[in-house]
Amino acid sequence: MTTLYWLRNDLRLSDNPALSYAAEQGTVLPVYILDKRISRQMGAASLRWLHDSLESINKDLQGKLLILAGDPQTLIPDVVHQYDIENVVWNRLYEPETVARDSDIKKQLLEQGVQVRSFNANHLWQPTEIAKKDGTPYKVFTPYYRKGCLVAGQPRFPLAKPEVLKLLQADGGLSVSELNLLPAVNWDEKMMSYWHPGEAGAKELLADFLAGPLFNYKNERNLPAVRATSRLSPHLHFGELSPNQVWYAIVDKCNIEGVALDSPDVDCYLSELGWREFSAYLLFHFPQMVTQNFNEKFDKFPWRAAPQHLQAWQKGQTGFPIVDAGMRELWATGYMHNRVRMIVGSFLVKNLLLDWRQGEAWFWDCLMDADLASNVASWQWVAGSGADAAPYFRIFNPVTQGEKFDPDGDYVKTWCPELGKVPPKLVHKIWEADANLLSACGVKLGQNYPNPIVDLKASRQRALDAFADMKEAQ
Ligand SMILES: Cc1cc2nc3c(=O)[nH]c(=O)nc-3n(C[C@H](O)[C@H](O)[C@H](O)COP(=O)(O)OP(=O)(O)OC[C@H]3O[C@@H](n4cnc5c(N)ncnc54)[C@H](O)[C@@H]3O)c2cc1C
């Protein structure tokens, strides 16, 4: 019997429940479809990543991945018909549009007498498994994670790669290159030197993280100049590694080192995986949050239209070094450190008073790890409009954040080399330097580095006033 295994964001052979099940049944026809109908198409950076990731998995599948582009709702039944398939399997996705699409396809296939099985492969706890005592979904992270997830039971133990994989070589299909995922203009060469998409690259990165940064994670994860986090996010998004593999690799490492799982560094890292779960959970239960404020009070918030400020933010030309460094890191590498994501987000939404959806859209296009649930939930968290969000009145000051988390200015100087000679005590507030110092450091404000585009104090007050007006209008 041939089983059609439909790959989506599960581009790996090990710990792949759908693939393992298919392999046990007999011959497997692996199919990937670039879905042209889904409304949120991937951004440029994600497409670039996908190209290499598909090359990698196709190689692991002995070049037998059937690659298609179009509408899965017509293409899956077509392939089923063409190859007389009796069995279709996939690993579940939890984004609202994919849930609706997959249940339509399942219904259609069942009506045709085809068996369909789906599996949980990419989450530690499925969004459907966790609920409050009254049956409603959690809206606050800590009880969701500590009272919901951790009490619900241990995550699924990872599966090994199927020992025997008998693959069907289908006719036709496209090559990875024919999907046209690569950019027309060659902006990606340097960017890709930071990454190694695919299952092998993901495993290498995990091993590096376990070998060092894990046991300093709690203190160092906020320092953008230090390589202290795992950088697994794009690999987890594309499913080149499962969170279960990460979870149990950490359990193993802790057993070997005699470190308790609830020690501060380990607990902190595992809870970050929990935030990934929580984001998917929120989006599953509150699908409107992709475009609408989770907290409806923000529907009355007076966002400004200021295209020049938006552009200055996007290009890393705001005159606030930690903000500019973050936006330039994103542009150059397709990644930004989490602490800096929060700083640039707060600056956009609060100091510039621009709608969080504009920031979300830019991140969506530029991030290698762009993930609908994590991106939308995090942007709403930063904006104050989300579930369990940072209160709106907590406005990150980019100067004090810079001084605290990048005390020597190493991160700023990496991405804003024009500030390379500025002493640490002024590197986060360059506008306070006197003319002699600026000249000695080769900085010409307004020429080779911008003047600040807003006054920090006044823009902070403007945000607080707008928030107070919004509350009054309720
Ligand atoms: C405005 C904003 C937008 C964001 N957009 C995305 C996005 O599109 N995709 C994305 O994966 N993450 C997003 N994040 C969350 C977080 O910044 C990244 O997951 C993290 O920086 C990835 O780096 P890492 O793999 O080294 O993380 P680590 O610190 O090594 O964490 C391990 C893993 O936990 C998960 N994780 C960590 N923090 C979070 C978080 N706050 N929310 C959800 N998952 C988390 C990620 O999968 C990450 O790989 C966003 C955060 C902010 C503030």
Side-chain angles (χ1 to χ4, degrees), residues 217 229-233 236 269 272-273 275-276 279 335-336 338 341-342 363 367 369-371 374-375 378-379 382:
Y217 184 76
T229 69
S230 68
R231 302 218 175 192
L232 285 171
S233 48
L236 285 166
Y269 185 78
E272 292 304 326
L273 293 177
W275 275 99
R276 176 179 177 273
S279 303
Y335 178 86
M336 192 195 299
N338 181 59
R341 292 187 202 202
M342 294 193 280
F363 270 34
L367 278 174
D369 66 24
D371 177 88
S374 295
N375 204 32
S378 300
W379 271 100
V382 169

Side-chain angles (χ1 to χ4, degrees), residues 155-349:
R156 179 183 59 77
F157 195 75
L159 300 167
K161 199 154 87 170
E163 270 176 31
V164 181
L165 199 49
K166 215 170 129 211
L167 296 163
L168 181 77
Q169 174 79 64
D171 304 323
L174 303 165
S175 66
V176 175
S177 309
E178 283 168 329
L179 290 176
N180 290 322
L181 305 171
L182 294 177
V185 178
N186 178 13
W187 48 256
D188 54 321
E189 205 174 325
K190 178 92 198 299
M191 184 180 278
M192 293 316 291
S193 68
Y194 296 99
W195 301 105
H196 183 184
E199 190 168 358
K203 285 184 175 158
E204 278 165 28
L205 219 47
L206 176 60
D208 290 349
F209 181 66
L210 296 178
L214 171 63
F215 295 121
N216 291 318
Y217 184 76
K218 192 166 196 294
N219 287 333
E220 295 200 336
R221 75 195 170 111
N222 276 312
L223 306 176
V226 179
R227 185 67 188 252
T229 69
S230 68
R231 302 218 175 192
L232 285 171
S233 48
H235 298 282
L236 285 166
H237 170 74
F238 284 97
E240 298 163 359
L241 186 75
S242 74
N244 306 61
Q245 289 172 300
V246 180
W247 185 279
Y248 284 102
I250 289 174
V251 171
D252 281 354
K253 181 74 183 173
C254 286
N255 285 339
I256 293 166
E257 303 290 336
V259 175
L261 271 189
D262 61 0
S263 67
D265 290 311
V266 177
D267 181 65
C268 181
Y269 185 78
L270 295 177
S271 77
E272 292 304 326
L273 293 177
W275 275 99
R276 176 179 177 273
E277 298 291 314
F278 187 50
S279 303
Y281 176 86
L282 287 175
L283 185 60
F284 179 80
H285 290 288
F286 306 98
Q288 69 282 6
M289 70 185 278
V290 173
T291 52
Q292 291 167 33
N293 294 307
F294 190 90
N295 177 350
E296 288 166 9
K297 288 183 186 158
F298 276 78
D299 293 350
K300 294 214 168 68
F301 196 82
W303 304 113
R304 290 190 316 138
Q308 282 179 343
H309 278 176
L310 177 63
Q311 203 178 26
W313 178 81
Q314 290 171 336
K315 301 290 174 212
Q317 295 289 341
T318 66
F320 292 94
I322 190 88
V323 174
D324 293 340
M327 297 309 293
R328 294 183 199 185
E329 181 187 22
L330 174 63
W331 187 249
T333 67
Y335 178 86
M336 192 195 299
H337 186 277
N338 181 59
R339 168 60 47 182
V340 191
R341 292 187 202 202
M342 294 193 280
I343 298 171
V344 305
S346 171
F347 185 79
L348 182 86
V349 171

Side-chain angles (χ1 to χ4, degrees), residues 26-219:
T27 308
V28 182
L29 171 54
V31 179
Y32 181 86
I33 301 174
L34 186 68
D35 186 342
K36 298 276 193 180
R37 211 185 64 166
I38 207 101
S39 63
R40 183 68 90 104
Q41 292 285 312
M42 273 179 249
S46 302
L47 290 171
R48 180 61 193 84
W49 184 286
L50 179 64
H51 176 276
D52 285 14
S53 192
L54 284 176
E55 290 281 21
S56 166
I57 186 98
N58 192 25
K59 203 164 146 225
D60 294 343
L61 291 168
Q62 305 146 29
K64 291 184 179 160
L65 179 63
L66 175 62
I67 299 173
L68 303 169
D71 181 357
Q73 208 155 338
T74 53
L75 290 170
I76 294 278
D78 283 354
V79 178
V80 163
H81 181 72
Q82 192 180 348
Y83 292 94
D84 223 2
I85 301 271
E86 289 165 27
N87 220 355
V88 174
V89 295
W90 61 69
N91 291 311
R92 279 176 224 127
L93 299 172
Y94 293 98
E95 293 162 5
E97 220 181 322
T98 51
V99 171
R101 177 197 67 190
D102 295 352
S103 58
D104 284 350
I105 294 176
K106 182 173 180 180
K107 191 163 162 261
Q108 201 178 332
L109 292 172
L110 290 175
E111 278 166 11
Q112 290 167 13
V114 178
Q115 284 189 45
V116 181
R117 286 188 77 130
S118 64
F119 300 82
N120 172 36
N122 291 343
H123 286 285
L124 298 166
W125 297 277
Q126 300 190 74
T128 45
E129 272 174 58
I130 310 293
K132 289 195 287 186
K133 283 207 175 96
D134 66 3
T136 61
Y138 285 99
K139 294 182 182 173
V140 179
F141 173 72
T142 303
Y144 158 79
Y145 181 63
R146 307 260 169 218
K147 291 194 186 149
C149 299
L150 294 183
V151 172
Q154 290 297 308
R156 179 183 59 77
F157 195 75
L159 300 167
K161 199 154 87 170
E163 270 176 31
V164 181
L165 199 49
K166 215 170 129 211
L167 296 163
L168 181 77
Q169 174 79 64
D171 304 323
L174 303 165
S175 66
V176 175
S177 309
E178 283 168 329
L179 290 176
N180 290 322
L181 305 171
L182 294 177
V185 178
N186 178 13
W187 48 256
D188 54 321
E189 205 174 325
K190 178 92 198 299
M191 184 180 278
M192 293 316 291
S193 68
Y194 296 99
W195 301 105
H196 183 184
E199 190 168 358
K203 285 184 175 158
E204 278 165 28
L205 219 47
L206 176 60
D208 290 349
F209 181 66
L210 296 178
L214 171 63
F215 295 121
N216 291 318
Y217 184 76
K218 192 166 196 294
N219 287 333

